[in-house]
Amino acid sequence: MTRNVKINALLLLAVAALAVLPLVLGLGDHKEEPFAGADAEAETAITEIEPDYEPWFSPLYEPPSGEIESALFAVQAALGAGVLAYYFGVRRGRRQGEERAAAALRDTPEGD
């Protein structure tokens, strides 16, 4: 196994562990919504500390349901992943192109 394959396998294992361990360990079983987002947790904490708190502003768009909100979040995540994948693909392609150009220069006879 090459070094890159080992690193990729370890990273994949770490991601899988991060996704599965909270479920296996039962983290959040004592809560009504065990894996609510950070926004909901912050809102709960703020209302407990200061019940009369008024937000400074309201959201520009409030989705009509939680399913639509989740879908929009998934689309946002997919777009971000696509941008990152494109960036890393372009970098790798440029590096491979430079390596091929350098190899072509090394392989050509000096008389040409």
Side-chain angles (χ1 to χ4, degrees):
M1 235 196 281
T2 66
R3 182 172 183 257
N4 286 340
V5 172
K6 289 179 184 177
I7 290 172
N8 288 340
L10 286 173
L11 288 173
L12 185 61
L13 182 64
V15 168
L18 284 173
V20 172
L21 279 178
L23 299 172
V24 171
L25 297 176
L27 300 178
D29 283 347
H30 61 282
K31 297 181 181 180
E32 185 178 321
E33 292 184 38
F35 299 107
D39 292 343
E41 294 286 332
E43 184 178 344
T44 303
I46 289 170
T47 53
E48 286 177 4
I49 294 169
E50 183 66 41
D52 298 329
Y53 176 76
E54 289 292 323
W56 294 358
F57 58 90
S58 61
L60 296 175
Y61 172 69
E62 188 73 33
S65 70
E67 291 83 9
I68 294 175
E69 186 176 357
S70 294
L72 289 174
F73 182 77
V75 168
Q76 177 185 358
L79 286 172
V83 168
L84 284 174
Y86 176 78
Y87 171 74
F88 287 118
V90 166
R91 280 192 54 196
R92 182 174 182 179
R94 284 182 182 165
R95 188 179 65 236
Q96 287 177 343
E98 290 170 357
E99 289 171 358
R100 287 180 186 149
L105 285 175
R106 282 192 308 264
D107 292 341
T108 57
E110 291 184 27
D112 290 339

